[in-house]
Amino acid sequence: MENVLGLRCINCNKQLDTKPGIYTCPKCGPKDGILDVEYDYAAINRATTRGLVSNSKDNSIFRYLPFLPVNPGTPRPHLRVGWSPFYKPVGLGRSMGMNDLYIKDDGQNPTASLKDRASVIAVIKAVEENSSTIACSSTGNAASSLAGSAAAMGIKTYIFVPGRAPQGKIAQLLVFGANVISVQGSYEDAFRLSAEAIERWGWYNRNAAINPYLVEGKKTVALEIAEQLNWQAPDWVVLSVGDGCTIAGVWKGFMDLYRAGWIDRLPKVAGVQSTGCSPLVDAFLEDRPWHPAAENTLADSIAVGVPRNPEKALRAVRQSGGTMVAVSDDEILAAMRELGRTSGIFGEPAGVTGLAGLKRLVAQGIVGPDEKVVAIVTGNGLKDVKNAIAAAGEPMKVEPSLGELVLQLEQRGLA
Ligand SMILES: *Cc1c(COP(=O)(O)O)cnc(C)c1O
Ligand SMILES: [Zn+2]
């Protein structure tokens, strides 16, 4: 990895060499000693250019290989991860009163969430470190994406999920052949048990905050947004926040492009949580350290009462001059309907939470109607059909008779 200079602790600033088994700063410990991957931007610019990338026929995150902390020769899963669609849905823009609104639909990944970007890197790093078994704890999507990428490489997985994870995500895990451990407790309980088991059996650790390489996978969503805007940063990027790794990754991606000289300005980043679980939003708005929160939201992917990457997340928002906002579960469901009905894009609750937050930011005048804004849809709606039905309602039930159909349509003013 000539492109990687090393790892730096975000807490004590110490630089460390990349070594197998090093996930966090030994001095600061696994809670505070989160590491950042540092690159040699001159080496990146010797290896590739914007033009070469733009002409690449690799429609996956590996079009950005020199920006990634993996050896180019390591075998990779065959799945197409990344290069997700980037839309300018005019109907949605009109309905939200925005003239330059874009959707990055990361529900269109192999296992239907943005987490695939991190999991594919986890699997490659596990191969590089000769691990045949990977473990993680997850609210659901990290789990199903890891199980998918690992299945593609013939690697065994142990997955710890909280008991409340939606059926769609559990089904994915089982189809991909993971050893699924449904922890009868919170996400925090699942995380703790997985950490103990990883320690006990020495499995490769895909827990997102702990493993510094995963944010590097997640950052590719920012590389793509910049490229899809013709090597330009938008004014705002808006997305949902749970542990905080995704928003940290988005910021890291734009920072890497900026430092490499590929974009000439940086976006503001807005992070959105549910009012039922908003430890990071509260810390940001009240300018104080975060406190653990209850996990009272139907947006299961961001029901994270004890975030694992709080500092990186808050730094991303602050350094970018961005903001954070919390929205109710009703606003999340309304955003799901609005996105679906105006643009044909289907997001899971956490997938559309960014959009719900954007609506608030526009109403508050923080985001202007002419600003260039990208809302990331982080996961697909089919993962959580129960909440989709809660958002959209049941279909009309009709006996197989034209007379009755006419009656029902007339009653609803549809005919
Ligand atoms: C994991 C996830 C998030 C939040 O990412 P964090 O890194 O936990 O902040 C948002 N949306 C979806 C769909 C997710 O799966
Ligand atoms: Zn440290």
Side-chain angles (χ1 to χ4, degrees):
M1 293 192 295
E2 290 151 31
N3 55 336
V4 174
L5 292 174
L7 303 167
R8 191 179 295 277
C9 173
I10 67 162
N11 193 49
C12 72
N13 214 33
K14 187 174 149 63
Q15 205 190 9
L16 301 161
D17 288 337
T18 56
K19 267 208 250 31
I22 295 288
Y23 302 132
T24 51
C25 172
K27 195 166 128 248
C28 302
K31 219 165 121 278
D32 299 317
I34 307 288
L35 302 176
D36 231 351
V37 181
E38 294 194 322
Y39 290 88
D40 177 346
Y41 296 103
I44 291 176
N45 280 320
R46 282 194 299 275
T48 189
T49 65
R50 286 180 291 190
L52 279 175
V53 170
S54 294
N55 287 321
S56 171
K57 294 204 168 57
D58 184 342
N59 290 333
S60 79
I61 66 170
F62 296 104
R63 63 199 287 108
Y64 309 108
L65 195 54
F67 282 93
L68 294 173
V70 298
N71 286 314
T74 310
R76 306 201 280 259
H78 52 252
L79 298 168
R80 189 277 303 154
V81 172
W83 202 239
S84 62
F86 187 69
Y87 301 119
K88 185 170 188 179
V90 177
L92 176 67
R94 200 179 304 127
S95 124
M96 295 202 32
M98 304 196 63
N99 300 318
D100 208 11
L101 174 63
Y102 299 79
I103 295 285
K104 178 72 170 161
D105 186 9
D106 249 54
Q108 302 292 323
N109 270 304
T111 76
S113 84
L114 187 146
K115 295 288 194 301
D116 284 335
R117 298 177 183 275
S119 290
V120 68
I121 300 290
V123 167
I124 293 169
K125 295 312 282 182
V127 170
E128 288 183 355
E129 299 187 12
N130 291 317
S131 303
S132 56
T133 306
I134 313 185
C136 82
S137 66
S138 157
T139 55
N141 285 333
S144 52
S145 76
L146 175 64
S149 277
M153 293 294 281
I155 289 176
K156 201 161 137 187
T157 49
Y158 289 90
I159 310 280
F160 297 75
V161 286
R164 58 153 207 266
Q167 287 285 300
K169 299 179 187 181
I170 302 289
Q172 286 183 295
L173 287 172
L174 295 167
V175 164
F176 296 143
N179 296 299
V180 184
I181 299 126
S182 171
V183 180
Q184 302 304 297
S186 66
Y187 172 49
E188 163 72 0
D189 295 325
F191 188 92
R192 194 158 12 86
L193 184 59
S194 77
E196 286 168 17
I198 287 165
E199 172 90 31
R200 168 94 154 69
W201 284 287
W203 301 325
Y204 188 82
N205 187 346
R206 186 247 178 262
N207 281 334
I210 298 299
N211 187 319
Y213 301 113
L214 302 188
V215 166
E216 298 299 308
K218 288 185 170 181
K219 86 180 176 190
T220 57
V221 72
L223 307 186
E224 289 174 20
I225 289 169
E227 182 180 351
Q228 286 165 324
L229 285 171
N230 214 356
W231 301 112
Q232 187 194 8
D235 295 307
W236 288 91
V237 180
V238 188
L239 71 156
S240 57
V241 177
D243 274 316
C245 304
T246 310
I247 197 164
V250 165
W251 181 239
K252 179 68 166 24
F254 284 110
M255 284 297 275
D256 276 350
L257 287 178
Y258 186 74
R259 289 182 175 137
W262 288 32
I263 54 175
D264 56 16
R265 60 171 195 140
L266 291 159
K268 289 188 241 179
V269 177
V272 188
Q273 298 194 293
S274 163
T275 48
C277 186
S278 55
L280 293 180
V281 175
D282 299 344
F284 177 82
L285 293 178
E286 293 165 28
D287 199 18
R288 56 154 173 81
W290 66 276
H291 309 312
E295 297 177 351
N296 286 325
T297 171
L298 53 76
D300 68 289
S301 305
I302 53 166
V304 181
V306 179
R308 293 293 153 186
N309 216 342
E311 279 321 308
K312 261 195 197 179
L314 290 168
R315 265 180 221 194
V317 175
R318 289 193 184 115
Q319 282 182 7
S320 77
T323 191
M324 297 195 83
V325 64
V327 293
S328 69
D329 281 2
D330 282 344
E331 288 171 86
I332 292 172
L333 295 182
M336 192 191 291
R337 283 192 300 273
E338 186 170 4
L339 176 66
R341 286 166 195 196
T342 59
S343 66
I345 297 167
F346 188 12
E348 67 165 280
V352 301
T353 300
L355 197 63
L358 175 59
K359 208 165 171 103
R360 280 240 181 161
L361 295 174
V362 172
Q364 292 169 359
I366 294 172
V367 173
D370 293 318
E371 291 196 274
K372 192 182 286 298
V373 180
V374 179
I376 304 175
V377 173
T378 48
N380 189 281
L382 284 175
K383 284 177 171 277
D384 184 356
V385 170
K386 195 168 126 265
N387 277 315
I389 299 280
E394 299 280 343
M396 69 179 89
K397 296 198 171 67
V398 183
E399 295 301 321
S401 129
L402 183 61
E404 215 210 309
L405 176 62
V406 170
L407 200 71
Q408 291 238 20
L409 288 178
E410 280 176 357
Q411 274 172 1
R412 290 176 174 78
L414 293 173

